[in-house]
């Protein structure tokens, strides 16, 4: 395995895309101070997962993104791709060429890729573990790093040797397995506590289970009884509704009969009024004739005083007129009696019509009350029927 190529874009001083190829053996990068040589090694550290901005000679991680110059605008993203030759199969992946890529945006969002497939930083570190190219391995030895390794603590030197020996991966796996075992042991302890708690509650749970089954049975019986009662109430309401409907029909027939009787009474009353008017005209005519006869009698008496010769004739006329007068008086008396009878009949008819009006009004009000009660009962029946269907 060896490094084939590094591609840099927007990282530190590399504003434009730059690709640097590496051949097998030793490759040297030379240049004057400030030309960006160290930025290449920083790019390699960064793409392999370096998280310390101070190690990359910065104050915060966003400073690795090209900040711009007088002639070039700042970039919004830094991207570095490291291409490794895996022909010998050192990396545990089924590719002969492995491209590790990292992106960083000014928003702070970071992305990692292995052969264009997005992944986690952990995946990148596990891939290069024990290969010596990790950020903490011996592949990046900067100026003064050798003296530091020689003079540092044995533990620090041991980490470098373990990386070179390829046992860091196994130590990491061992530590992870120990963490998992500790977590599993904690879970087992919690499970034992739960089991003990459940065992202590088994008797109580049995009693509660029996009570729950008994409650379920009683609830079902209560529900069936309630449904039966509701159905019985519905039947009673239907029967009562039929009775109310029959009463309503009878009341409607009575109202119609009362209306017919009222029309007949109005017709009879109109006839009696016309007859009363005719009798009134006849009485006026008779009174006029009586007055005329009285006048004629007075004239006859006056003529009798003036002429004796006409006395007999006048007497005869007087007798005849007296007879006619008596007849007219009897006729007037008969007509007056007849008029009194008609007035009495009229009074009776008026009283009957008033009684019919009162009876009609009372029956109408009673029918309206029964009809309103029938409608209310029908609405209640519908509501209870809907409730019964919802309960079933």
């Amino acid at each position: 395995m060896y490094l084939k190529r590094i591609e840099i874009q927007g990282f530190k001083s590399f504003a434009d895309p730059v690709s640097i190829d590496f051949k097998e053996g030793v490759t040297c990068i030379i240049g004057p101070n400030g030309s960006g040589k160290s930025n290449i090694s920083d790019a390699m550290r960064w793409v392999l997962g370096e998280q310390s901005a101070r190690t990359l000679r910065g104050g915060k991680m966003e400073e690795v993104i090209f900040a711009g110059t007088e002639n070039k605008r700042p970039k919004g993203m830094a991207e570095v791709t490291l291409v490794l030759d895996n022909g010998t199969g050192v990396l545990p992946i089924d590719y002969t060429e492995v491209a590790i890529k990292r992106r960083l945006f000014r928003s702070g969002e970071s992305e990692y890729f292995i052969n264009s497939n997005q992944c986690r930083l952990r995946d990148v570190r596990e891939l290069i573990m024990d290969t010596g190219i990790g950020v903490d391995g011996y592949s990046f030895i900067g100026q003064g790093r050798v003296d530091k390794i020689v003079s540092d603590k044995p533990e620090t030197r041991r980490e470098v040797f373990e990386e070179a020996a390829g046992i860091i991966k196994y130590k990491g796996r061992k530590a992870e397995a120990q963490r998992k075992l500790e977590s599993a042991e904690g879970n087992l302890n919690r499970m034992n506590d739960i089991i003990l708690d459940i065992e202590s509650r088994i008797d109580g749970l049995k009693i509660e289970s029996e009570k729950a089954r008994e409650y379920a049975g009683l609830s079902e019986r209560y529900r069936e009884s309630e449904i039966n009662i509701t159905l019985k109430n519905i039947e009673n309401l239907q029967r009562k509704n039929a009775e109310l409907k029959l009463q309503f029909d009878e009341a409607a027939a009575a109202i119609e009969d009362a209306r017919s009787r009222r029309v007949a009474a109005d017709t009879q009353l109109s006839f009696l009024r016309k007859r009363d008017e005719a009798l009134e005209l006849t009485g006026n005519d008779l009174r006029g004739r009586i007055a005329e006869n009285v006048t004629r009698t007075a004239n006859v008496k006056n003529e009798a005083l003036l002429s004796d010769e006409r006395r007999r004739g006048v007497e005869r006329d007087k007798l005849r007129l007296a007879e006619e007068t008596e007849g007219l008086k009897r006729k007037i008396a008969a007509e007056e009696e007849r008029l009194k009878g008609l007035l009495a009949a009229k009074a009776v008819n008026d009283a009957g019509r008033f009684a019919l009006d009162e009876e009609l009004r009372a029956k109408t009000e009673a029918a309206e009350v029964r009809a309103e009660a029938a409608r209310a009962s029908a609405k209640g029946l519908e509501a209870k029927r809907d409730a019964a269907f919802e309960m079933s």
Side-chain angles (χ1 to χ4, degrees), residues 223-239 381 384-389 391-392:
R223 182 171 175 272
E224 292 177 357
S225 300
E226 190 173 17
I227 292 174
N228 293 330
I229 292 172
T230 303
L231 293 175
K232 187 66 177 178
N233 291 334
I234 290 173
E235 292 178 359
N236 294 333
L237 289 172
Q238 287 177 342
R239 185 170 60 256
L381 176 61
K384 290 188 176 181
R385 183 182 298 169
D386 294 340
F389 289 154
M391 292 176 61
S392 61

Side-chain angles (χ1 to χ4, degrees), residues 122 126 129 168-187:
R122 179 179 178 180
E126 289 181 353
M129 189 177 292
I168 293 295
K169 179 188 295 185
Y170 300 104
K171 291 185 69 175
R173 290 179 180 175
K174 178 183 177 182
E176 184 177 0
Q178 287 179 345
R179 288 194 300 270
K180 288 183 179 179
L181 286 173
E182 292 174 358
S183 177
E185 186 176 359
N187 291 334

Side-chain angles (χ1 to χ4, degrees), residues 348-365:
V348 172
N349 287 332
D350 289 341
R353 185 184 65 175
F354 179 76
L356 288 174
D357 289 340
E358 289 297 321
E359 182 182 0
L360 176 60
R361 183 180 62 80
K363 288 186 178 182
T364 302
E365 292 178 354

Side-chain angles (χ1 to χ4, degrees), residues 252-264:
I255 291 172
E256 188 65 26
D257 181 63
R259 287 176 179 172
S260 300
R261 291 173 62 187
R262 180 177 180 179
V263 171

Side-chain angles (χ1 to χ4, degrees), residues 101-289:
K101 182 190 297 183
R102 182 179 180 181
R103 289 176 183 166
L104 177 66
F105 300 91
R106 288 198 180 275
S107 61
E109 183 180 359
S110 183
E111 295 177 349
Y112 294 88
F113 298 87
I114 297 177
N115 286 359
S116 301
N117 296 317
Q118 191 168 1
C119 62
R120 302 169 298 175
L121 173 59
R122 179 179 178 180
D123 299 327
V124 175
R125 288 181 173 174
E126 289 181 353
L127 178 66
I128 63 178
M129 189 177 292
D130 290 339
T131 61
I133 63 174
V135 294
D136 297 326
Y138 55 84
S139 58
F140 292 97
I141 301 177
Q143 187 176 6
R145 180 73 186 280
V146 176
D147 294 337
K148 184 177 180 182
I149 293 174
V150 173
S151 62
D152 212 338
K153 296 179 180 180
E155 291 82 1
T156 305
R157 291 198 301 271
R158 183 177 180 179
E159 290 178 359
V160 176
F161 295 143
E162 287 177 348
E163 177 75 20
I167 64 174
I168 293 295
K169 179 188 295 185
Y170 300 104
K171 291 185 69 175
R173 290 179 180 175
K174 178 183 177 182
E176 184 177 0
Q178 287 179 345
R179 288 194 300 270
K180 288 183 179 179
L181 286 173
E182 292 174 358
S183 177
E185 186 176 359
N187 291 334
L188 287 174
N189 292 331
R190 286 194 293 273
M191 287 297 296
N192 290 330
D193 294 339
I194 293 172
I195 290 172
L196 291 174
D197 181 61
I198 291 175
E199 287 178 349
S200 64
R201 294 167 54 192
I202 286 176
D203 296 335
L205 291 174
K206 286 182 178 178
I207 296 173
E208 292 180 1
S209 177
E210 293 176 358
K211 289 182 178 179
R213 284 194 294 269
E214 183 179 0
Y215 174 77
L218 292 175
S219 297
E220 184 65 23
R221 290 176 59 189
Y222 174 76
R223 182 171 175 272
E224 292 177 357
S225 300
E226 190 173 17
I227 292 174
N228 293 330
I229 292 172
T230 303
L231 293 175
K232 187 66 177 178
N233 291 334
I234 290 173
E235 292 178 359
N236 294 333
L237 289 172
Q238 287 177 342
R239 185 170 60 256
K240 188 174 182 180
N241 187 35
E243 295 175 357
L244 290 173
K245 186 177 180 182
L246 180 62
Q247 293 178 5
F248 180 79
D249 294 338
E250 292 177 354
I255 291 172
E256 188 65 26
D257 181 63
R259 287 176 179 172
S260 300
R261 291 173 62 187
R262 180 177 180 179
V263 171
D266 290 339
T267 303
Q268 186 177 3
L269 179 62
S270 178
F271 173 75
L272 291 175
R273 285 177 178 173
K274 291 180 179 179
R275 189 173 180 182
D276 185 31
E277 292 175 355
L279 290 174
E280 186 70 24
L281 292 174
T282 302
N284 292 333
D285 182 59
L286 290 174
R287 290 188 186 93
R289 292 175 64 183

